Amino acid sequence: MSGTAALGAGQATAGVETSGARRTAASFHGEQRAVVVLLALQFGGLLYLSAAVYRAFSLQEDFGIYYQAWWLLDHGRLDPFSSLLGIPFVASNAELTFWPLAALGRLWGGAFLLLALQDLALVATNAVTIAWVGEALRREERLNSSQQRVLRLATLSGILLDPWCYQSARYDFHLEVLIALVAVLTGQALWRGRSRLVILLTALLLLSGSSGALAVFGIGLGGLLTRKQRKLSGWLALEGVTAALVLSHLGLVGAHGALFDNQYRYLTSVHHGPVGWAAVLAGILHHPVVPLRELASKAPLVLELAIPAGLLGIVSPWGFGMVVGVLLPGLLASGSFLNPFAAFQAWPALPFVTLGSAVLFARLLQSGLPVRIRAVLLRLSLGVLGSATGVLLLSWASTTAVVVGAQARAATGAAAVLRTTTPGDEVAAWASAVGRFAGREWVYTFGTPSATLPIHSRTVVFLLPGPGVYGAGTAATASGRIAREAERLGARRIPGASPWITFVWHPGPDVTAVRLAGFRPIRAARA
């Protein structure tokens, strides 16, 4: 009888355990479904933002550079020339992976597809990050399910509220956003020990130019610090830094090396000619206070970027590796080369900071501190970080709404001008709206009134800012003067384009350029 009772009690206990396991599994699957729904909503929000930016003609020169190359590749130009940069597109940053990406233009070559692909990459990066954090937390054996759930929820909240995700979508198109997706997949594969997948993904990163090479270096450094796949991690770090140095030596970092020269010259004693990495390194070693002063001035920027990612992850092995590899070069650049407006440059590092933050918070919960102190520290830290993230998001949202709303008021006029152009027309457009006009062989940004515009086509369309265009300032006065001077040479105003100052000009066959000041044509020298 006692044996039967014991057996019954054992069966009852097993039934309770099975029931508990089922509830836990059901709860986990329910959480996964909720995450999928929230990420789908985020994707919808990003698409809505991109559509608003697209309709407002708020796409600038960076978008124009990629869209022109996209359009030229779609039209069979395998070595597209960027008229906006004045160099072949490949010489900008050697982003070779853009070639197969541009093949999608065969399906639908519209400019909006670039923005949609970027939005998809942002959400996919967030999805991989969430999955990686969840897997890492499950490996923390002393964490109970409730603690894991709190950290997963905090990670998800930070990712959904991260303003730098939305800013990366709002500001044109940049390959760094797609590089971030490949980078986080590479880091996850290295962490899991999937060497073959790491090698394949690394090749994609190295073919993505200097940003991809720096990401490879950061991943390798992170792997070394975490003691994951040390030999492979060491090779990644070596390959990444070597590729970055080779691209720099070849002048394939930032518009044929011009950006590199301008942003890092202050670290060297070179006053004329190109600046190479050797001169920069020598300058840093000779005057270490100079770069340290620059980095100290940008500490608030690092905090802004890292707060939504949990902040602590900066000092974690994965986070520190990517901060050194991806963020440090931008932070060392003079001035505001890396800033919240250009958050896309930091985006490949932020998923690794998020992972590191989750793991360090998990270690806090497993520390030797009393349980109550650990709980208070966790709640206080997550509360402060969550509040700061909310403030950053609200600040970003209010600023973006004002700017995009102001630009949208001029969108009708810009759309009217775009409808009058053909792909064979040359276009000179105001910097804040030039992106939508880049689907052609020759497009230029209207800069200073003293600039000289090359002439390649028999029809040239000008989209200049009028007094009602957001951010025009004194340029509107110069635009009106240029239009009046152009009309004396037969230029014709485009109706319905207000508040823009727009006109069409048909230069003679011997005109090779025009000086905007005084609108003076430059003619080819006769033999």
Side-chain angles (χ1 to χ4, degrees), residues 38 70 112 144 178 194 227 325 330 351 426 449 451 466 477 488 493 506:
L38 289 172
W70 171 279
F112 187 75
N144 59 44
L178 278 69
R194 301 179 64 182
R227 301 180 181 181
E426 183 173 339
T477 303
R488 286 198 291 267
R493 293 285 185 114
H506 300 286

Side-chain angles (χ1 to χ4, degrees), residues 98-117:
F98 192 74
W99 269 249
L101 183 68
L104 293 174
R106 297 282 182 178
L107 302 177
W108 180 38
F112 187 75
L113 180 57
L114 274 176
L115 299 178
L117 288 173

Side-chain angles (χ1 to χ4, degrees), residues 308-391:
L311 190 60
L312 287 183
I314 292 177
V315 296
S316 69
W318 284 113
F320 182 76
M322 289 297 280
V323 165
V324 171
V326 174
L327 279 185
L328 186 60
L331 294 172
L332 282 174
S334 63
S336 57
F337 176 63
L338 177 62
N339 55 62
F341 185 67
F344 66 90
Q345 296 174 23
W347 182 247
L350 297 183
F352 294 84
V353 176
T354 298
L355 172 72
S357 297
V359 172
L360 289 182
F361 276 118
R363 301 288 166 79
L364 171 64
L365 288 173
Q366 300 174 73
S367 66
L369 294 173
V371 175
R372 288 187 178 180
I373 294 179
R374 280 182 281 166
V376 169
L377 285 175
L378 180 65
R379 290 172 184 170
L380 181 62
S381 300
L382 294 181
V384 170
L385 290 172
S387 300
T389 299
V391 169

Side-chain angles (χ1 to χ4, degrees), residues 137-144 147-148 362-363 365-368 374:
L137 292 177
R138 287 194 293 273
R139 293 194 182 187
E140 299 292 331
E141 297 178 353
R142 291 163 55 189
L143 280 183
N144 59 44
Q147 292 170 332
Q148 289 184 32
R363 301 288 166 79
L365 288 173
Q366 300 174 73
S367 66
R374 280 182 281 166

Side-chain angles (χ1 to χ4, degrees), residues 241-309:
V241 73
T242 300
L245 293 178
V246 168
L247 290 173
S248 170
H249 179 72
L250 295 175
L252 297 176
V253 178
H256 234 326
L259 182 62
F260 191 86
D261 290 349
N262 295 335
Q263 299 295 333
Y264 297 99
R265 187 178 295 275
Y266 81 101
L267 294 170
T268 74
S269 57
V270 179
H271 300 293
H272 303 286
V275 172
W277 63 268
V280 173
L281 181 59
I284 290 174
L285 294 175
H286 193 252
H287 297 291
V289 175
V290 175
L292 289 176
R293 188 184 300 121
E294 186 71 24
L295 291 175
S297 70
K298 293 175 181 174
L301 167 63
V302 176
L303 290 177
E304 281 189 62
L305 292 171
I307 281 174

